[in-house]
């Protein structure tokens, strides 16, 4: 994701032992199917935490009258600005089929809203190659590999365009993940350059719930 605050990044980089997470996002998503029954993409909604929402509003001048509520026209103009990602960035979302990562196109169809003091954005990412789920294990996860951003999925995700399908949640063992994550951080040389990128494994997936697709073949 596009991290917009230089100050926030500097504070995070200066404290490697507490560098993750700094942004918290509630995720809602739906897998999208076409008329042929192929999985074609995912529709994602992010609700940012209140602090980061305020940073987004302030740094992008979305509240010109300073009443604490961004103007709708400015929100609409900024829609998609939070996902100004470098080429090749996977978008903090993964879809695997039989354990193989599926390539996702850059996000499109952006919208933005302001709800209860939080910035809400939606986008769609399409699979580069639509796939039939028949006889395959399809798993969706919302996570940041670096765990700088912590994603939670508070409500059950859904399926668009296909009946008889649902997504079963397999909860991550976060206690075990925290223990392994803590060990990894403890191995970081605290005397190194505080602005150097910390080289840690793909720890974010350890904290991510997995959502396993199942479809009734008779539907």
């Amino acid at each position: 994701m596009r991290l917009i605050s230089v100050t926030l990044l500097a504070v995070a980089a200066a404290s490697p032992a507490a560098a993750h997470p700094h942004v918290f996002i509630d995720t809602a998503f739906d897998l999208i199917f076409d008329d042929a029954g192929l999985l074609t993409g995912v529709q994602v909604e992010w609700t940012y935490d209140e602090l980061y929402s305020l940073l987004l509003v302030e740094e992008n001048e979305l509240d010109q009258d300073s009443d604490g509520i961004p103007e709708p026209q400015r929100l609409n103009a900024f829609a998609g600005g939070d996902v100004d990602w470098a080429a090749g960035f996977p978008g903090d979302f993964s879809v695997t089929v039989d354990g193989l990562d599926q390539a996702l196109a850059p996000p499109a169809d952006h919208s933005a809203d302001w709800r209860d003091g939080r910035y809400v954005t939606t986008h769609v990412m399409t699979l580069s190659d639509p796939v039939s789920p028949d006889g395959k294990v399809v798993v969706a996860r919302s996570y940041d590999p670096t765990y700088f951003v912590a994603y939670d999925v508070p409500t059950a995700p859904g399926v668009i365009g296909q009946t008889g399908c649902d997504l079963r949640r397999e909860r991550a063992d976060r206690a075990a993940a925290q223990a392994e994550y803590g060990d990894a951080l403890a191995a970081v040389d605290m005397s190194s350059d505080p602005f150097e990128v910390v080289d840690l494994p793909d720890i974010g997936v350890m904290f991510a719930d997995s959502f396993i697709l199942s479809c009734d073949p008779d539907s």
Side-chain angles (χ1 to χ4, degrees):
M1 67 178 299
R2 182 186 176 199
L3 297 174
I4 50 99
S5 175
V6 173
T7 301
L8 179 62
L9 287 174
V11 170
S15 305
H20 309 277
H22 279 277
V23 181
F24 299 85
I25 296 177
D26 287 340
T27 303
F29 71 88
D30 298 290
L31 296 184
I32 303 170
F33 285 80
D34 65 11
D35 293 339
L38 300 180
L39 175 61
T40 61
V42 57
Q43 179 174 282
V44 180
E45 178 183 274
W46 287 344
T47 302
Y48 290 82
D49 66 75
E50 292 183 358
L51 175 58
Y52 196 75
S53 294
L54 290 175
L55 287 171
L56 276 166
V57 169
E58 180 178 349
E59 295 209 3
N60 294 282
E61 301 179 346
L62 303 181
D63 181 16
Q64 287 292 291
D65 59 10
S66 302
D67 66 351
I69 301 175
E71 288 79 29
Q73 66 273 22
R74 290 186 175 273
L75 279 175
N76 291 335
F78 184 67
D82 61 318
V83 290
D84 185 14
W85 298 325
F89 181 70
D92 285 358
F93 198 95
S94 78
V95 175
T96 62
V97 177
D98 289 344
L100 299 177
D101 283 318
Q102 303 300 295
L104 294 169
D109 299 332
H110 304 284
S111 67
D113 198 2
W114 186 256
R115 302 177 196 161
D116 300 322
R118 301 173 71 182
Y119 181 72
V120 181
T121 181
T122 63
H123 58 268
V124 173
M125 290 185 289
T126 58
L127 270 67
S128 298
D129 296 305
V131 62
S132 170
D134 294 347
K136 301 180 178 68
V137 178
V138 177
V139 181
R141 298 182 181 91
S142 177
Y143 72 98
D144 169 16
T146 69
Y147 202 47
F148 188 94
V149 180
Y151 291 91
D152 189 23
V153 185
T155 59
V159 175
I160 297 173
Q162 188 82 335
T163 61
C165 294
D166 60 20
L167 288 152
R168 174 176 57 85
R169 185 191 300 259
E170 186 175 280
R171 295 191 180 276
D173 187 341
R174 299 193 179 188
Q178 187 63 51
E180 186 169 344
Y181 168 63
D183 291 343
L185 282 181
V188 175
D189 181 4
M190 298 299 292
S191 64
S192 62
D193 180 354
F195 292 95
E196 182 180 355
V197 175
V198 177
D199 185 17
L200 290 176
D202 181 0
I203 57 177
V205 69
M206 297 160 53
F207 293 86
D209 289 349
S210 300
F211 294 88
I212 304 167
L213 179 71
S214 61
C215 294
D216 183 349
D218 297 326
S219 297

